[in-house]
């Protein structure tokens, strides 16, 4: 005579490995079948069935023998499937958000690259003195006084040169916009 599932479940809940093995042997196909019907995906169903079986010893400790074991087991499978769907939805939303973030980041990189390319091309139109001034003040982040010492000119000359650079770059941008 076959031992009822409820007796095996009670024994498995207290740590009886043999009882647990019999339960898994009897019901694995049922767990997998329901998982497959709920997910519609064989690989997900296999993973889910394995996860459920791995978590079953801990879950059995909460089994109160108020319903048939198979009824309780079906509920465990349904709950596990719902948890899987929630995780997938969360990952999907996160992936969409990251995808949008990555697209925005790539657009920003492209915009910055285009601006840098435009600036490099516009700088070739400046005289050597103006390019040297810009390279020190903006490129090396020096103060106008420091750039003046290096170039051998006054701080006022550096200020005038930077003003001249801005004026010429604005004119070039306006011309390119046309």
């Amino acid at each position: 005579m076959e031992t009822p599932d409820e007796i095996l479940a009670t024994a498995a809940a207290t740590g009886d490995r043999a009882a647990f093995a019999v339960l898994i042997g009897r019901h694995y196909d049922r767990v997998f079948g329901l998982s497959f019907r709920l997910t519609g995906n064989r690989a997900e169903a296999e993973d889910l069935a394995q996860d459920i079986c791995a978590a079953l010893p801990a879950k059995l400790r909460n089994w109160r023998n108020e319903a048939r074991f198979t009824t309780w087991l079906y509920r465990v499978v349904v709950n596990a499937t719902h948890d899987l769907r929630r995780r997938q939805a969360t990952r999907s939303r996160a992936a969409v958000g990251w995808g949008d973030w990555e697209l925005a980041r790539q657009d920003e990189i492209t915009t910055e690259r285009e601006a840098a390319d435009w600036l490099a091309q516009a700088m070739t139109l400046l005289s050597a003195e103006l390019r040297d001034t810009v390279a020190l003040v903006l490129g090396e982040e020096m103060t106008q006084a420091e750039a003046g010492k290096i170039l051998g000119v006054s701080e006022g000359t550096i200020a005038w040169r930077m003003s001249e650079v801005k004026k010429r770059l604005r004119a070039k941008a306006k011309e390119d916009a046309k």
Side-chain angles (χ1 to χ4, degrees):
M1 186 163 127
E2 192 173 88
T3 307
D5 290 338
E6 290 73 19
I7 292 173
L8 291 171
T10 301
T14 62
D16 185 336
R17 291 176 184 228
F20 181 74
V22 171
L23 279 174
I24 294 298
R26 276 187 199 170
H27 298 289
Y28 182 82
D29 290 341
R30 181 174 284 148
V31 169
F32 170 75
L34 181 56
S35 296
F36 181 70
R37 284 187 290 285
L38 293 172
T39 63
N41 181 301
R42 183 172 195 77
E44 281 182 1
E46 288 171 352
D47 289 346
L48 190 59
Q50 289 175 10
D51 291 346
I52 290 167
C53 290
L56 211 52
K59 291 188 180 299
L60 277 169
R61 289 187 215 123
N62 296 325
W63 183 60
R64 294 185 298 266
N65 198 8
E66 295 172 355
R68 290 181 49 211
F69 174 75
T70 52
T71 302
W72 176 83
L73 185 60
Y74 280 135
R75 188 74 238 159
V76 169
V77 174
V78 168
N79 288 342
T81 305
H82 290 173
D83 290 344
L84 174 67
R85 287 180 189 148
R86 279 191 292 275
R87 285 191 307 272
Q88 288 172 334
T90 299
R91 282 188 205 115
S92 177
R93 283 191 304 274
V96 168
W98 280 107
D100 292 345
W101 176 82
E102 179 61 19
L103 289 174
R105 189 179 77 83
Q106 290 298 326
D107 286 346
E108 185 178 326
I109 289 170
T110 300
T111 301
E112 288 173 1
R113 186 178 305 121
E114 288 170 353
D117 291 346
W118 179 87
L119 184 57
Q121 190 274 330
M123 294 293 287
T124 63
L125 303 175
L126 299 175
S127 67
E129 293 83 19
L130 294 178
R131 280 196 313 266
D132 293 347
T133 302
V134 170
L136 293 174
V137 173
L138 297 180
E140 298 300 318
E141 299 180 356
M142 291 183 179
T143 65
Q144 291 180 356
E146 293 169 331
K149 285 181 186 174
I150 291 171
L151 295 175
V153 296
S154 71
E155 186 176 345
T157 300
I158 297 296
W160 175 85
R161 286 181 180 178
M162 289 303 296
S163 174
E164 189 65 22
V165 166
K166 289 175 189 175
K167 182 173 80 175
R168 290 184 186 186
L169 290 179
R170 276 191 212 106
K172 172 78 171 125
K174 196 174 194 179
E175 179 184 311
D176 288 350
K178 289 181 184 179

